Each structure stands twice: as structure tokens, then as C-alpha cells.
Amino acid sequence: MEKEEAAIKEAAKELEKREEDEKRAYVGGNKNVDPNTQLWTTRYAPQSLKEICGNKAQVEKLQLWLRDW
């Protein structure tokens, strides 16, 4: 249980870091879209396979499909 909580906290830190990087990039003029105006489904979309969570059977099914693709 503690291991899962640590993994969740680490994932949250990575997400916060990515958000800060996106904000800095927008302020610097490198991006066209303000992260604050994006749909949350776009803004919080998983960037890697390890960020996908939920129904374990469906996640495994997705992983298998991605490997075969």
C-alpha cells in the first residue's frame, strides 16, 4: 500500500513539473496554446504508458495492443 502511495505521489510531482514546464514555454513564446485554456482531457492526457491507470484488465489489454501495434 505504501509503495502504491509513493508511486502516486511521484506521478503527481512529474505532472506538476510538466505543467510548470508548459507554462514557462508558453510565457517564453515557444507554444501557441495557453495550458490554462486547454481541455482537461488534453491537458492531463497520459504522456507515457506508466501514467495510464484504472481498470487493471483494460490497462493490460491496452498495453498488449500497444505492444502489437
Side-chain angles (χ1 to χ4, degrees):
M1 186 73 163
E2 291 177 17
K3 188 176 181 181
E4 291 175 359
E5 288 179 11
I8 291 170
K9 287 179 182 179
E10 183 64 30
K13 286 180 185 178
E14 289 177 19
L15 180 61
E16 288 174 359
K17 183 181 181 298
R18 190 170 62 216
E19 286 179 346
E20 287 298 320
D21 291 344
E22 289 175 355
K23 285 179 185 176
R24 277 191 228 110
Y26 179 72
V27 170
N30 295 336
K31 291 216 175 182
N32 296 330
V33 179
D34 180 358
N36 293 324
T37 62
Q38 291 178 327
L39 295 173
W40 78 254
T41 52
T42 302
R43 187 174 183 184
Y44 297 107
Q47 301 295 312
S48 69
L49 192 57
K50 74 176 193 171
E51 292 181 356
I52 298 174
C53 60
N55 183 329
K56 188 173 182 174
Q58 294 302 316
V59 171
E60 289 173 356
K61 190 175 179 181
L62 177 61
Q63 288 174 339
L64 286 172
W65 181 82
L66 287 170
R67 279 189 214 125
D68 291 339
W69 186 57

